[in-house]
Amino acid sequence: GSGFFQHGHTYLSHPMTCAAALAVQTIIERDKLLDNVVDKGGKLLSHLQSLFSQHPYVGDVRGRGLFLGLEFVSDKANKTPFDPSIPLHKIIKQASMQAGLMCYPMSGTIDGKLGHHILFAPPYTIEDKHIDEIGEKISLAINNSFQQVGLIQTFRIARQI
């Protein structure tokens, strides 16, 4: 009855955010972006698996759609995590950014202390050329990171870049 229309709070389902959400959903459907997520996600997963399945410190390459990750282990056969005193996630993040790639490195993913991984979450609009670019840049970043901590010499990936 006051004539005042309050619509600025995040969790009130106010018209502005509802309109924005509907517009995003309309574009996702119109441009068939979920089809692109399935297609490019499968291609990116295959590409990462071909690059890193034989890497001595990559325990797993996994994910779904365009939400993919690499798990790092000190012993591939036993999936033994790295000592948490090695800030591998921070080193990989810095090397990735220097290579021009944003990814999401984390540590403590097993029990709050052990476990290192990186996640990839490229945009729904990713193109085939970006899959190769991601592979090239993360390969460079991982090689530089493991060299920096003195764990291995440059790993020759399955498909030479």
Side-chain angles (χ1 to χ4, degrees):
S2 69
F4 180 72
F5 183 57
Q6 186 171 351
H7 61 87
H9 297 284
T10 305
Y11 298 106
L12 291 180
S13 300
H14 53 85
M16 187 168 44
T17 57
C18 289
L22 182 58
V24 168
Q25 292 174 15
T26 300
I27 291 168
I28 287 171
E29 184 176 0
R30 180 195 71 204
D31 295 352
K32 300 185 182 347
L33 293 179
L34 292 181
D35 292 344
N36 197 54
V37 167
V38 171
D39 177 55
K40 300 305 185 274
K43 288 178 180 179
L44 181 55
L45 179 61
S46 282
H47 188 55
L48 293 172
Q49 287 171 334
S50 73
L51 293 174
F52 297 108
S53 65
Q54 299 303 312
H55 194 287
Y57 296 124
V58 174
D60 197 11
V61 180
R62 60 182 176 263
R64 183 173 180 191
L66 287 172
F67 194 62
L68 304 168
L70 299 176
E71 173 189 24
F72 299 102
V73 295
S74 63
D75 180 331
K76 190 175 185 87
N78 296 315
K79 301 264 178 129
T80 306
F82 281 101
D83 186 305
S85 68
I86 300 172
L88 189 57
H89 64 293
K90 291 179 182 178
I91 295 167
I92 291 174
K93 179 179 183 175
Q94 183 179 18
S96 296
M97 291 182 78
Q98 287 174 345
L101 178 67
M102 291 294 300
C103 61
Y104 305 96
M106 290 294 298
S107 67
T109 53
I110 294 174
D111 62 1
K113 294 179 185 174
L114 297 173
H116 289 89
H117 76 272
I118 56 174
L119 295 175
F120 300 97
Y124 286 16
T125 55
I126 187 174
E127 298 174 13
D128 284 335
K129 66 182 179 182
H130 299 127
I131 292 169
D132 291 331
E133 182 180 357
I134 290 168
E136 179 180 326
K137 289 180 177 182
I138 197 59
S139 295
L140 176 65
I142 288 171
N143 280 332
N144 289 343
S145 297
F146 283 117
Q147 284 179 344
Q148 183 177 339
V149 296
L151 291 171
I152 62 170
Q153 296 298 316
T154 301
F155 176 72
R156 302 276 180 217
I157 57 176
R159 291 164 51 188
Q160 191 65 33
I161 296 173

